[in-house]
Amino acid sequence: MNERPPHTPKRPSRPFRSGGASQRRERPAGRPFGEWPEDVAILYGWHSVAEALRNPRRKLRRLMATENAMKRLVEEAVPLPFQPEIVRPSEIDRLLEPDAVHQGLLVECDPLRSPSLAEAAENDLILVLDQITDPHNVGAIVRSAAALKVGAIVTTARHSPAATGVLAKAASGGLEHVPFCFVGNLARALEEMKNSGVQVVGLDSEGSADLVDTPLRAPVALVLGAEGKGLRQLTRQTCDTLARIDLPGAIVSLNVSNAAVLALHIARRAIASKTAETTSK
């Protein structure tokens, strides 16, 4: 698991060559796949690219598509801001890691704008990630967060994966719906959210009560720690309360992405119940 790098290596200086209906990039010597500068996000795969194309907030720079992928884009009426480069699958293969499943689509685009902490705190349900660094896990969490209408994901600028590539593919389009709010100090950010009225609940196996039995009200922020390490000590101390997730089966622990979707579902139901209760009065 890697920290969020301060930058990514710059695009290889070798220029593109025109080649019929497509443009080809030679594989740079000694590098297994293409690399881009830090201000470029790379999205690949059907859901990631289709959702980006549907998102008016995304500023696209380049779109590569195979003939089959292009046909599907047209059939499903996905908006196209400009004409894609029609390429063979191998043209995209050489720009990505060997095991990347791109389904004939790749986009170069600008990263989405990150909301301020104050803007993130205005949402009824917020997710906070405490040094969860695996892009597959974070991507799966983003997908669940989008499904359960999380308003923002708060995490540190360091010790978090970049919102591109593998993470974006695992998020399956969720990046277009759940913004990341990057902060310098997580404990300070939690204090600021608490001061603005957000209930901050940390998920911890040593929590005093099951999350189902913990009184939750909007706005609420659920805080998850990395697998194995869990929440850091200062993060634990800063939360309003710590809650656990009790499981009835033989295996009593979940990976962090599964724990996230279960916790978010519990919180979303609690918020809906509180809203219904308030409305009926």
Side-chain angles (χ1 to χ4, degrees), residues 15-266:
F16 288 103
R17 296 187 304 168
S18 60
S22 66
Q23 291 182 318
R24 301 181 187 178
R25 181 190 301 195
E26 295 296 313
R27 183 188 297 273
R31 297 183 184 180
F33 55 91
E35 296 172 337
W36 289 265
E38 62 182 86
D39 64 340
V40 175
I42 301 304
L43 309 177
Y44 59 85
W46 173 259
H47 293 292
S48 298
V49 172
E51 287 302 299
L53 291 170
R54 293 187 179 107
N55 184 0
R57 298 185 303 277
R58 271 289 187 190
K59 183 179 178 182
L60 277 66
R61 302 185 182 190
R62 184 186 187 201
L63 170 60
M64 301 174 70
T66 62
E67 290 184 1
N68 288 338
M70 181 62 184
K71 181 180 178 181
R72 185 178 177 186
L73 289 172
V74 173
E75 289 175 346
E76 300 196 16
V78 177
L80 298 174
F82 47 78
Q83 187 64 24
E85 298 173 33
I86 306 302
V87 299
R88 294 187 297 274
S90 60
E91 300 300 304
I92 301 177
D93 289 340
R94 72 180 63 197
L95 300 178
L96 300 172
E97 295 172 301
D99 59 349
V101 181
H102 56 74
Q103 298 169 291
L105 289 170
L106 182 143
V107 157
E108 296 180 15
C109 55
D110 289 359
L112 291 170
R113 172 186 172 271
S114 296
S116 67
L117 186 61
E119 290 172 325
E122 293 175 355
N123 295 282
D124 64 348
L125 182 56
I126 306 150
L127 188 59
V128 181
L129 306 182
D130 184 14
Q131 293 196 353
I132 300 177
T133 57
D134 182 82
H136 293 92
N137 275 337
V138 177
I141 289 170
V142 173
R143 182 175 185 175
S144 298
L148 288 158
K149 204 177 179 180
V150 170
I153 294 176
V154 177
T155 190
T156 52
R158 290 173 56 81
H159 302 285
S160 63
T164 185
V166 172
L167 187 158
K169 181 64 166 64
S172 194
L175 281 177
E176 311 307 314
H177 304 283
V178 187
F180 273 82
C181 170
F182 294 106
V183 298
N185 184 292
L186 193 62
R188 188 176 303 124
L190 294 179
E191 288 287 3
E192 289 183 27
M193 285 196 288
K194 288 164 60 176
N195 291 337
S196 65
V198 177
Q199 179 188 19
V200 177
V201 179
L203 273 293
D204 190 276
S205 60
E206 303 300 321
S208 58
D210 189 343
L211 183 63
V212 172
D213 301 318
T214 301
L216 301 176
R217 49 87 182 159
V220 60
L222 299 181
V223 189
L224 280 77
E227 290 188 36
K229 296 186 297 183
L231 299 176
R232 290 176 293 164
Q233 185 62 31
L234 186 55
T235 303
R236 288 166 53 91
Q237 294 173 354
T238 309
C239 293
D240 288 316
T241 187
L242 297 176
R244 63 182 187 271
I245 298 177
D246 291 335
L247 300 170
I251 295 177
V252 295
S253 63
L254 298 170
N255 70 29
V256 68
S257 61
N258 289 332
V261 69
L262 182 54
L264 290 171
H265 181 63
I266 293 169

